[in-house]
Amino acid sequence: MKKLIIIALAASGAAVAQAQAETPDQRNGRGEFRAEMRALIAGDGMDVAALANLMQERATARFEALDADGDGIVTKDDVLAAAAERAQTRFERMGPNEDGIVKHEGRHGWRKHGERAERGERRQPLSEEQRAERMQERTSERFARLDTDGDGMISPEEFQAGATGRMERFAEHRERRAERRAEMPEEMRQMHAQFRTMMREGMDLDAFSGFARDRASARFDAMDADGNGELTADEFTAGLSERAERVFARMDRNEDGKVTSDDRPNRAGKRGDGPRSKD
């Protein structure tokens, strides 16, 4: 029984997440933001004001990074220059082939088969032995998560609980994606569709840089309320409170006004039994 379940776990594999790569500074800021959120959730819980404050701090830091001369004004040229600089780093992290083309490659996304991009560096392809070791580690971790009573065996009840939990998390993920798409302006949805098309057909650095500039320009125009071609800190952070409320509403599953570990399903798919072992 145990052997069969381990084989089933190994065969199931993990879903490959696709996200645009970020510069080291952006990843550090994003990591710090998430760490602060986790600390609030693990403590007394996070309310909407605390989330809004974290988002405000992060947005302010981004504005100050763009405002190189410190005059309190960010122009479209500033935004486009930063977008062009990020585009080259992101493109390299997506793993272009020898012809300088990035193309979607099935479940491996845009990265080359057998390679992973992490912390701005390209890894060498894994050997067969390394892949086998990694698969064994992941299988052991999955087995341990299902073996909730720690007796070294997975009962039918434990296996069913794990399957139910995966289905619930998948359904919740799809629901959150649908909510985000509904909130996304039509122009941004069109740009996302354009990017997916570019990935299917293959794109070079020039095409990706042009896409990044167009996206940055659209975002700038949306924030430039008075249309004068300049952004103030207030314009840059306008609407942040409303966004924080929408994000918080999705996280506060029991609607008690605070986000705690009880608002997140654990590995067995149940709520209220303590925090999950991993984020």
Side-chain angles (χ1 to χ4, degrees):
M1 177 68 176
K2 180 176 177 180
K3 183 177 180 180
L4 290 175
I5 292 177
I6 291 179
I7 294 174
L9 289 170
S12 66
V16 178
Q18 296 184 10
Q20 286 193 6
E22 295 177 315
T23 64
D25 286 344
Q26 286 177 308
R27 290 197 305 276
N28 289 339
R30 191 178 183 89
E32 292 172 0
F33 175 78
R34 288 177 172 173
E36 291 183 35
M37 282 184 61
R38 286 196 295 268
L40 288 172
I41 293 171
D44 296 330
M46 180 179 68
D47 59 20
V48 66
L51 176 60
N53 184 59
L54 289 179
M55 293 176 66
Q56 176 71 42
E57 291 176 353
R58 186 165 183 249
T60 299
R62 290 168 58 193
F63 181 85
E64 291 175 351
L66 289 169
D67 182 20
D69 57 11
D71 64 354
I73 296 295
V74 169
T75 66
K76 179 176 280 193
D77 287 341
D78 293 330
V79 172
L80 295 183
E85 184 177 349
R86 290 195 303 271
Q88 183 163 358
T89 301
R90 291 175 174 177
F91 187 80
E92 291 301 321
R93 282 176 54 79
M94 286 188 281
N97 62 23
E98 59 274 9
D99 297 321
I101 301 296
V102 170
K103 189 173 183 179
H104 189 276
E105 296 179 352
R107 71 181 184 87
H108 296 287
W110 51 59
R111 293 170 187 157
K112 292 182 181 178
H113 179 73
E115 291 186 336
R116 291 175 179 267
E118 185 175 350
R119 300 186 183 278
E121 298 180 358
R122 294 266 297 281
R123 291 185 174 183
Q124 295 300 317
L126 298 175
S127 67
E128 291 295 333
E129 182 179 355
Q130 289 172 322
R131 280 197 288 269
E133 290 178 355
R134 180 166 294 180
M135 178 61 73
Q136 180 62 41
E137 290 174 359
R138 292 176 178 173
T139 301
S140 297
E141 291 173 358
R142 295 180 191 129
F143 185 90
R145 287 198 295 267
L146 287 177
D147 183 19
T148 55
D149 59 11
D151 65 353
M153 299 177 62
I154 297 177
S155 67
E157 292 78 14
E158 287 174 323
F159 188 78
Q160 182 60 45
T164 300
R166 288 194 297 273
M167 288 188 291
E168 287 184 359
R169 290 193 296 276
F170 179 71
E172 290 170 353
H173 175 68
R174 292 189 63 179
E175 182 181 349
R176 288 195 298 271
R177 286 185 61 186
E179 290 174 352
R180 287 195 293 269
R181 287 175 179 173
E183 295 171 359
M184 188 183 298
E186 177 60 28
E187 185 175 11
M188 294 303 296
R189 282 200 290 269
Q190 292 176 359
M191 295 193 76
H192 278 237
Q194 177 189 352
F195 181 73
R196 288 193 295 271
T197 299
M198 291 168 60
M199 286 298 303
R200 287 195 298 270
E201 297 176 351
M203 64 182 178
D204 58 16
L205 177 58
D206 287 341
F208 181 66
S209 296
F211 171 81
R213 288 193 298 269
D214 289 345
R215 189 180 184 194
S217 178
R219 287 180 168 176
F220 183 95
D221 292 341
M223 289 186 289
D224 185 16
D226 55 14
N228 67 347
E230 298 178 342
L231 291 180
T232 64
D234 288 340
E235 286 178 313
F236 195 80
T237 60
L240 188 146
S241 295
E242 289 79 2
R243 292 198 298 274
E245 289 178 0
R246 291 196 296 269
V247 171
F248 186 84
R250 290 197 293 266
M251 299 176 68
D252 185 18
R253 299 179 187 278
N254 59 13
E255 300 181 354
D256 64 351
K258 279 199 173 185
V259 174
T260 66
S261 58
D262 290 340
D263 289 293
R264 305 181 67 184
N266 63 18
R267 291 294 183 182
K270 300 176 183 179
R271 295 176 184 158
D273 293 333
R276 300 190 305 178
S277 59
K278 291 187 178 181
D279 290 318

